[in-house]
Amino acid sequence: MLRRLKFAGALGVMLLLALAVSAEQRFPPPDFESGYRLPSASTPAARLLWLQYADTGVFLAALGTAAWMIYKKRSRRGIFWLSLFSLAYFGFYRKGCICPIGSPQNVVYGLFNPDYAVPVTVLIFCFAPIVAALFAGRIFCAGVCPQGALQDFMLIKPVTVPPWLEEALSVVPYIFLGAGLIYAGTGTGFVICRYDPFVPFFRLSGGSFILTVGAVFLLAGMFVGRPYCRFLCPYGGLLRLASLASKWRVRVTPDVCTQCRLCEQTCPFGAMREAAPAGTSPNTLGAARRRLGWLLALLPALVVAGGWAGSKLGPAAAQLHPAVALAERYARQQTDPVQYGLMTPEALSLQRAAANPEAVFTAASDLRHRFDLACCLFGGWIGLVIGVKLLALSVPAIRTDYEPDRGACVACARCFTACPNERVRLGWMPAADKPAPL
Amino acid sequence: MNTALLHRALLLTAWIAGLFCLLVCGIMLYEHFEAATRDPWKSPQLLALKEKLAAEPGDVPLQKEIRQLDQTFRQQFRHRLSLDKTGAWLALGGMVVLVLAAGKAAALRTTLPLPQPKIAAAEQTAKRASRARWSLAGVGLAVAGSLVMVGLDNTSVLPANQAAWQKLTGPAGAEETPAETAPTPSEFQANWPRFRGWDGSGASAQTNYGTNLAWRSAIPAPGHSSPVVWGERVFISGGTAARREVFCYAVSSGALLWRRAVENVPGSPPKVAEVPDDTTYAAPTLATDGRRVYVFFANGDLAALAFDGSVVWTKYLGPLKNMYGYAASLAVWGNNLLLQLDQGGTTAEGSRLISLQGASGRVLWERSRPVPASWATPIVIETAGKTQIITLANPWVIAYTQADGAELWRAQLLEGEVVPSPIFAGGYVILANPGSALLALRPDGSGDVSKTQVAWTSENDVPDITSPVSRGDLVFTVTSIGTVKCAGAGDGKKIWGTNLDTEVNASPGIAGDRLVILGEKGVVVMLGAARQFQEMGRSQLPDKFLASPAFANGRIFLRGATNLFCLTPDGGKPAKGP
């Protein structure tokens, strides 16, 4: 096993480095006016409007098909083929763009920058999976998301992540979401897209850092089911919240759960929850109530502390914005001049700044103020997320059956056929062979 | 098929697919590192050719050579890109086979679940929740720690508070300066608006200058800046590490009308950099456009003052890397101010030429310069259909367009510490390569004109500190040991020479038909600015002189170490008219 792991590791690293090879090579445009058109290597070219609507149609059809496969057909095979289609179409053909995962950034950027009108197609890509999740859970993750499909196909031998670690890491997507929305709102860039580890694979192009991160996720994905979806995907975080209120939910069996526990090990994503009868031991009830009270009181304190810590982050965070970075470079050049090479980007940017330094500093000042406020909110958001999660972990769940967690379940349909009731329903086994409850 | 056999076959397939992927990736990696040497961003060969082209932009064969090399790199790149793409697809195909085969093999060995009854399930659930809370707290602490570390590691040099920002960005609407008309050339010529007169030549077209003392006034602070004159005002600067000031005197009486300290300049550190006493903080000569007077000090403070002494704007351009102290003077052209900010020991360290809007101080353009510190002042000339800024520094004479600072031509003619400023006379830019040669350049070339545009060189009695001066057809130079030379502006040939037997650090000037030379120890010598040597007068002033004379409206202004002197033909009533 160890030998295999080493082999897989070496293979993954080599593959990623090799992809980085083709990705990192960027050719400068010629220095002569020759009508040369710079090839766009990392971002797909703009698409005709009708093709954008066609993509949207395919996307909505895929969502509908996923819901039909999960709730009506209850077919793992159907979800598998739909995932394969999504990987090919939204992944390798559309090169991961447009993608719902990054779309909240467009929406937030449009909210804070009146010059940018969010396209209707982007709005549909952003909100359709969320609306679908309010009714049918994470059907987007099930078979429409190419990133999820890629990880799903890489899964060879799943291992169980300890529940305590799973719960703790489940807050990370919300932190990433907060950071992504801040940088989008301030016009710095779409960091969620920039640091999407799988898009470079779809485009066969990307920086070595993100390709290496992608390789790590893919290698981890051979043994840990969908690591990006579970522990980092910000859009997954939104869908998780929406799914908590979903009208329908994925059930292992539409029939009565016999609590045979055969489904317990079938979920590679740690989403299966055991039955938990109502009622708490009188010995622990008092302590549980006190803990809940303390955590409720702690929640505003965590938000305020987070906001305070976040407010200290503004100047450092703002340096990622190109306008602030230019002001920094220009100011540094005044006190500690650096001789940049002829026609280098640095020298050219300094020349531009020198033409109107007041404008550069004014823009930087405005952005710094925006970042100060945004980082304060970001810190508060982190405090809120952790506080709410602590509360959620302190409220005992009541479940009569074994069932997938509404938020964590990606509706992959793997658990369906593990259930004897489902097998009987499908006619795969006689009813007499059903195991008795444990 | 036998399950064990199938399992072995699948494992074998997975191994073969894996080895195939390794092989493909290995080839791609080898190609990558091999190709890195041909990256045109880093190719020393291509970069060297581009540097060469920057010096000689008109060199067509060189352009062809660069294009050819560039094209070769591009073809190699495209070829490799195509190989990479094929390799990437092959590797992905291999990965698919590997994952399918390994996944199937793993599935064959999957053991079916055999759940056992759970004991104390509720307690276990509570324990898991407790662990999850603690681990979540750990994640929270890790995130908080990361945020604090990022916040503490802030390397921003931008201000942290609102007041400091306002100093950087200026008051609201500061950039909206009202349009103002530039002074006319005749206004400039009637005054002495910058170092060595309106065109930097050191010559005044007016006549009837004399050497009788009309007045003298005490100068409250040390400095070597030369006087500038506009209308009824004469300006000089002076200062120390503690305080740097501008002094405004009345032309007619010498009365000190006002003095204004330049202080609280945004960004300027309270503790100023040390400047050698011999140079002083006020060596750069001021400049004026008749609307404002501009001053620059060796600590990097730049200011514009209104004629009533009020501060219009200030800027900090320091700290300046100059081993002897910054001494190049300001220049004006129209409404704009020019500053040649050369810095560095033996190599360029932030050297640049800056053009600012006089009314607002806004930087109009700025050009990086490939030269170390120099002490020469730029001149602006109109020739060959262009308005050119001529700059000197080791080793380049570089001409820029006045409008946007684009480089016009350059010549590698200078060495050592370049102090004398250039002049424009007889259609030539005349300059001194200190201690080596006096040169004349035709300012109508482009690219590197080192070997093509030098009209003549003259190698004897070359000034090392002072700048040349010309009457049009004649060029006069004075060395620091007092050797005067008259040469033809057209050919550089010596016409006459003499030695004044006095040390001279001030650049000579021409007032009408007289060559005015100011000795360091106060001797004022007037020679005929003519083909025949003639000493027209000599007088003595009680001061030490390093600043150059200024001529305006029949008056000669001399800045000594402690006094400002005004000389007129009759010692009180200046001669009227040129």
Side-chain angles (χ1 to χ4, degrees):
Chain A
M1 186 65 188
L2 188 63
R3 246 174 43 188
R4 284 177 204 165
L5 281 174
K6 281 180 182 173
F7 175 72
L11 181 70
V13 170
M14 288 286 277
L15 175 71
L16 267 294
L17 284 176
L19 285 174
V21 161
S22 62
E24 278 209 325
Q25 279 290 325
R26 291 285 182 276
F27 229 66
D31 295 334
F32 309 102
E33 292 174 9
S34 58
Y36 178 82
R37 290 180 63 198
L38 193 69
S40 64
S42 61
T43 310
R47 200 158 158 83
L48 290 173
L49 190 61
W50 75 269
L51 285 174
Q52 291 180 35
Y53 283 117
D55 288 341
T56 311
V58 173
F59 180 69
L60 293 175
L63 273 180
T65 307
W68 184 60
M69 288 292 173
I70 293 159
Y71 289 97
K72 189 74 181 169
K73 300 289 288 180
R74 295 180 59 81
S75 168
R76 166 66 194 157
R77 187 180 294 267
I79 290 296
F80 174 85
W81 287 111
L82 181 62
S83 297
L84 198 61
F85 166 78
S86 298
L87 178 64
Y89 188 87
F90 298 113
F92 287 98
Y93 170 58
R94 290 300 304 125
K95 299 186 184 304
C97 194
I98 183 178
C99 153
I101 295 174
S103 61
Q105 298 170 113
N106 295 70
V107 175
V108 170
Y109 182 67
L111 282 175
F112 290 96
N113 295 275
D115 295 340
Y116 176 72
V118 187
V120 175
T121 49
V122 175
L123 287 173
I124 293 172
F125 267 80
C126 179
F127 290 110
I130 294 174
V131 172
L134 286 170
F135 288 91
R138 296 171 67 173
I139 54 172
F140 167 72
C141 305
V144 189
C145 175
Q147 281 91 335
L150 182 61
Q151 294 171 85
D152 214 315
F153 292 140
M154 290 298 291
L155 189 60
I156 294 173
K157 197 170 177 59
V159 295
T160 305
V161 177
W164 57 268
L165 185 60
E166 176 105 28
E167 295 287 3
L169 293 180
S170 66
V171 296
V172 177
Y174 298 102
I175 296 172
F176 190 24
L177 176 70
L181 296 188
I182 280 175
Y183 279 115
T186 51
T188 306
F190 289 1
V191 293
I192 294 173
C193 299
R194 196 181 298 169
Y195 295 108
D196 187 312
F198 305 114
V199 168
F201 292 107
F202 300 148
R203 297 177 187 172
L204 298 178
S205 170
S208 55
F209 168 74
I210 197 62
L211 276 164
T212 309
V213 172
V216 170
F217 271 108
L218 283 187
L219 283 176
M222 290 179 173
F223 308 101
V224 178
R226 295 196 184 211
Y228 180 77
C229 303
R230 289 157 74 187
F231 306 125
L232 205 59
C233 179
Y235 195 72
L238 287 177
L239 293 180
R240 180 188 281 254
L241 289 178
S243 299
L244 291 176
S246 64
K247 183 175 170 64
W248 305 295
R249 60 193 172 95
V250 175
R251 294 181 60 93
V252 180
T253 172
D255 206 340
V256 179
C257 174
T258 58
Q259 303 201 8
C260 65
R261 293 177 54 203
L262 286 173
C263 61
E264 205 171 31
Q265 303 298 318
T266 55
C267 182
F269 311 123
M272 193 59 69
R273 299 288 181 266
E274 63 189 0
T280 310
S281 161
N283 297 333
T284 58
L285 185 61
R289 281 181 176 168
R290 277 195 301 276
R291 181 167 53 242
L292 194 61
W294 277 112
L295 289 174
L296 272 170
L298 184 66
L299 182 62
L302 280 174
V303 173
V304 171
W308 176 82
S311 68
K312 305 294 173 196
L313 204 62
Q319 290 185 57
L320 280 184
H321 195 289
V324 180
L326 178 59
E328 293 274 1
R329 176 178 291 156
Y330 184 75
R332 201 168 274 126
Q333 191 71 0
Q334 308 310 306
T335 54
D336 188 16
V338 178
Q339 196 76 25
Y340 292 106
L342 195 70
M343 298 293 285
T344 54
E346 292 85 359
L348 292 173
S349 68
L350 284 171
Q351 277 183 18
R352 283 196 300 275
N356 195 350
E358 284 83 358
V360 172
F361 285 129
T362 302
S365 168
D366 179 47
L367 281 163
R368 276 276 288 268
H369 291 138
R370 290 175 75 173
F371 266 98
D372 286 343
L373 176 64
C375 286
C376 185
L377 292 172
F378 175 56
W381 167 249
I382 294 174
L384 180 70
V385 166
I386 290 175
V388 169
K389 185 70 189 176
L390 281 171
L391 282 171
L393 287 170
S394 302
V395 178
I398 301 167
R399 273 182 296 267
T400 52
D401 297 341
Y402 274 80
E403 61 184 43
D405 181 275
R406 282 187 179 216
C409 175
V410 295
C412 68
R414 279 186 173 85
C415 56
F416 292 173
T417 51
C419 177
N421 279 341
E422 179 73 357
R423 296 178 84 88
V424 169
R425 191 179 73 84
L426 292 170
W428 293 4
M429 61 183 273
D433 288 355
K434 277 202 295 186
L438 289 169
Chain B
M1 188 187 276
N2 183 301
T3 307
L5 196 63
L6 180 62
H7 183 256
R8 282 185 65 182
L10 286 169
L11 272 186
L12 188 65
T13 309
W15 273 102
I16 291 170
L19 287 173
F20 173 76
C21 288
L22 277 175
L23 183 69
V24 171
C25 296
I27 292 170
M28 289 170 73
L29 281 174
Y30 173 78
E31 277 290 318
H32 167 68
F33 290 114
E34 183 69 13
T37 56
R38 300 192 295 270
D39 188 344
W41 277 122
K42 299 164 192 163
S43 161
Q45 190 187 0
L46 198 57
L47 287 176
L49 288 175
K50 284 183 179 177
E51 286 283 343
K52 205 172 161 190
L53 185 68
E56 302 168 33
D59 191 336
V60 177
L62 186 60
Q63 287 181 7
K64 278 187 180 169
E65 193 182 348
I66 292 173
R67 282 196 182 107
Q68 188 62 46
L69 192 60
D70 189 80
Q71 190 183 15
T72 308
F73 281 140
R74 265 166 221 286
Q75 284 169 344
Q76 288 171 348
F77 171 73
R78 290 285 168 198
H79 178 64
R80 206 179 57 72
L81 208 63
S82 146
L83 281 178
D84 280 347
K85 198 130 198 162
T86 310
W89 281 114
L90 285 174
L92 280 178
M95 280 296 283
V96 169
V97 175
L98 168 68
V99 169
L100 286 176
K104 280 284 177 197
L108 284 176
R109 288 297 167 93
T110 304
T111 49
L112 294 172
L114 190 60
Q116 298 299 314
K118 285 203 168 183
I119 301 161
E123 282 175 21
Q124 283 183 18
T125 304
K127 200 177 274 182
R128 275 204 301 273
S130 174
R131 276 188 196 165
R133 281 192 295 271
W134 282 111
S135 60
L136 182 61
V139 168
L141 284 175
V143 170
S146 305
L147 294 186
V148 169
M149 279 181 67
V150 171
L152 290 178
D153 193 37
N154 173 30
T155 55
S156 174
V157 294
L158 295 174
N161 60 61
Q162 188 62 30
W165 270 111
Q166 278 179 352
K167 282 183 183 174
L168 269 182
T169 55
E175 64 278 15
E176 299 297 330
T177 49
E180 62 178 15
T181 53
T184 61
S186 58
E187 277 185 277
F188 273 121
Q189 288 175 38
N191 293 286
W192 198 262
R194 48 157 286 177
F195 179 61
R196 310 198 72 224
W198 72 281
D199 58 354
S201 68
S204 170
Q206 296 169 351
T207 58
N208 297 329
Y209 288 97
T211 55
N212 293 311
L213 182 65
W215 51 259
R216 78 172 185 182
S217 293
I219 299 173
H224 300 319
S225 63
S226 303
V228 296
V229 185
W230 194 279
E232 282 302 307
R233 290 176 172 82
V234 55
F235 304 95
I236 56 170
S237 61
T240 60
R243 185 180 175 86
R244 292 155 298 283
E245 294 177 88
V246 175
F247 305 100
C248 175
Y249 295 87
V251 161
S252 52
S253 65
L256 180 61
L257 298 176
W258 51 260
R259 57 191 291 183
R260 175 69 59 196
V262 175
E263 54 197 0
N264 299 325
V265 178
S268 183
K271 188 176 187 308
V272 297
E274 285 187 13
V275 172
D277 291 342
D278 288 347
T279 307
T280 75
Y281 284 90
T285 296
L286 305 85
T288 176
D289 54 12
R291 279 67 172 157
R292 290 159 296 276
V293 60
Y294 308 100
V295 63
F296 188 58
F297 294 102
N299 70 320
D301 286 349
L302 175 66
L305 308 181
F307 272 27
D308 62 0
S310 58
V311 176
V312 180
W313 55 260
T314 58
K315 266 182 193 299
Y316 176 63
L317 300 176
L320 306 178
K321 294 174 182 172
N322 191 308
M323 59 280 215
Y324 302 131
Y326 185 86
S329 299
L330 298 169
V332 284
W333 187 260
N335 283 330
N336 301 334
L337 180 66
L338 289 168
L339 183 58
Q340 183 179 329
L341 204 64
D342 291 345
Q343 303 178 73
T346 53
T347 56
E349 293 179 51
S351 298
R352 54 200 196 272
L353 180 68
I354 308 170
S355 174
L356 303 104
Q357 188 183 56
S360 65
R362 183 166 67 87
V363 175
L364 298 172
W365 51 258
E366 183 174 312
R367 293 290 171 262
S368 178
R369 285 169 51 74
V371 294
S374 71
W375 294 264
T377 300
I379 59 168
V380 186
I381 65 173
E382 288 182 302
T383 186
K386 293 169 187 150
T387 305
Q388 307 186 15
I389 302 167
I390 310 295
T391 61
L392 308 187
N394 179 9
W396 294 103
V397 182
I398 305 180
Y400 304 87
T401 58
Q402 185 273 330
D404 60 5
E407 186 176 319
L408 289 169
W409 52 263
R410 61 165 73 185
Q412 192 169 1
L413 301 171
L414 300 168
E415 54 200 12
E417 290 155 356
V418 178
V419 182
S421 301
I423 61 170
F424 182 56
Y428 297 132
V429 172
I430 297 172
L431 54 111
N433 183 12
S436 175
L438 192 70
L439 303 112
L441 270 174
R442 285 185 293 274
D444 54 357
S446 64
D448 190 342
V449 300
S450 309
K451 293 174 183 166
T452 57
Q453 297 299 98
V454 178
W456 53 258
T457 57
S458 175
E459 293 181 350
N460 295 321
D461 301 326
V462 180
D464 47 354
I465 294 175
T466 67
S467 308
V469 65
S470 173
R471 198 196 68 175
D473 58 337
L474 300 173
V475 179
F476 303 91
T477 56
V478 185
T479 66
S480 56
I481 58 170
T483 303
V484 184
K485 185 173 86 170
C486 169
D491 55 12
K493 287 184 179 163
K494 182 176 177 180
I495 297 172
W496 56 260
T498 188
N499 192 288
L500 301 177
D501 197 23
T502 184
E503 277 187 43
V504 179
N505 283 307
S507 291
I510 290 180
D513 57 353
R514 299 176 185 188
L515 175 66
V516 181
I517 300 168
L518 191 57
E520 187 180 341
K521 291 178 181 168
V523 63
V524 183
V525 181
M526 296 242 181
L527 304 177
R531 288 184 169 273
Q532 302 295 323
F533 171 73
Q534 183 192 3
E535 183 165 329
M536 300 174 78
R538 187 181 283 242
S539 57
Q540 181 70 40
L541 292 173
D543 211 333
K544 182 181 175 185
F545 293 89
L546 283 90
S548 301
F551 310 99
N553 300 317
R555 294 174 184 270
I556 301 175
F557 299 92
L558 304 175
R559 191 242 174 95
T562 54
N563 285 285
L564 178 65
F565 298 86
C566 176
L567 309 181
T568 57
D570 61 358
K573 296 171 186 169
K576 294 202 175 189

